[in-house]
Amino acid sequence: MPFSPINTLFLDVGGVLLTNGWDSTGRKKAAEVFGLDPVEFEERHHLTFDTYEQGKLTLHDYLKRTVFYQNRPFSMDDFRQFMFSLSRPYPEMIELIKSLKNKYNLRLAVLSNEGRELQVYRIQTFGLYNFIDYFIVSSFVHLRKPDVDIFQLALDVSQSPPQSVLYIEDRPMFVDIARSLGIEAIRHECFEKTKAALASFGLVS
């Protein structure tokens, strides 16, 4: 088996393996499709979404606060299905990670901020459970990046020392936090750059 000092990958989901689950672009599109006031919708979202991502609200309650605080000519299920429909995979990234896992016998852990219902939908729909070993998700563990405790929890669950871990993340702040804990990190910008960066750590597909 080829050698690499890295035996564990921590992976963000949105922006790395899949499109973002519920970002500003998706919310703007939802406001247009469902005829919502975009300013009011965005304000209500920002007041409550962190609580949802930490697993302290259900998706039903999040939508009650942001959309269905008044009668609407569409159902909550219609809106939920729209939210779910925004998710798309990045097949090249998924296949690259699967290939590296098999070649180097890597442990893989998702380290993600995401609401429970959205994350479960994405795990099931795109088969992430087929190759990810651990899901350290904000709504599952009630911790949320940039809290360093969620990074420490991922280290504890994987039982990997920081120097053996490589984290792939698209947000610069979270890359910096991982590095401050002794975890090597790659800022994901595109498939080719990340593939090259992985190779520099001895992980060649």
Side-chain angles (χ1 to χ4, degrees):
M1 181 183 297
F3 174 77
S4 169
I6 302 300
N7 62 32
T8 304
L9 295 183
F10 289 173
L11 303 160
D12 191 21
V13 175
V16 176
L17 299 178
L18 311 176
T19 57
N20 287 322
W22 186 231
D23 61 8
S24 58
T25 300
R27 295 192 300 277
K28 182 178 179 181
K29 186 175 179 182
E32 293 171 354
V33 169
F34 291 97
L36 304 177
D37 179 328
V39 175
E40 183 177 30
F41 178 40
E42 196 67 7
E43 180 181 6
R44 283 177 171 268
H45 164 83
H46 282 295
L47 288 172
T48 197
F49 194 63
D50 287 2
T51 309
Y52 173 55
E53 279 197 332
Q54 286 183 296
K56 297 179 180 179
L57 276 181
T58 64
L59 181 56
H60 177 275
D61 289 335
Y62 164 76
L63 292 176
K64 285 286 286 185
R65 294 184 183 188
T66 57
V67 179
F68 295 95
Y69 55 90
Q70 64 184 56
N71 291 331
R72 299 293 187 184
F74 51 87
S75 71
M76 187 176 291
D77 188 59
D78 291 337
F79 200 90
R80 285 168 56 105
Q81 291 307 312
F82 176 84
M83 292 176 72
F84 294 157
S85 74
L86 297 173
S87 291
R88 296 285 187 275
Y90 292 129
E92 282 186 319
M93 277 300 299
I94 290 173
E95 290 308 312
L96 173 62
I97 297 302
K98 285 181 177 179
S99 172
L100 294 175
K101 176 186 173 72
N102 293 331
K103 186 174 182 178
Y104 295 93
N105 195 29
L106 300 173
R107 289 190 290 271
L108 303 184
V110 154
L111 185 52
S112 174
N113 286 348
E114 190 111 77
R116 175 175 291 273
E117 293 87 346
L118 282 168
Q119 185 72 102
V120 169
Y121 170 81
R122 283 148 69 82
I123 290 169
Q124 297 295 321
T125 300
F126 301 106
L128 303 187
Y129 58 84
N130 287 320
F131 63 99
I132 301 296
D133 299 299
Y134 317 104
F135 290 91
I136 314 300
V137 179
S138 59
S139 55
F140 298 174
V141 302
H142 309 300
L143 295 168
R144 184 176 179 275
K145 297 180 292 187
D147 189 335
V148 295
D149 286 349
I150 194 170
F151 291 88
Q152 186 59 55
L153 179 62
L155 292 171
D156 291 343
V157 169
S158 66
Q159 283 297 289
S160 300
Q163 64 270 21
S164 71
V165 177
L166 181 59
Y167 179 42
I168 304 175
E169 164 67 63
D170 63 322
R171 295 181 185 271
M173 177 191 290
F174 299 160
V175 167
D176 291 342
I177 291 169
R179 288 173 177 163
S180 76
L181 297 172
I183 300 169
E184 295 284 5
I186 294 170
R187 163 84 190 287
H188 177 70
E189 298 178 77
C190 68
F191 171 76
E192 292 298 339
K193 286 185 179 180
T194 294
K195 184 178 180 181
L198 283 160
S200 75
F201 287 97
L203 298 173
V204 181
S205 61

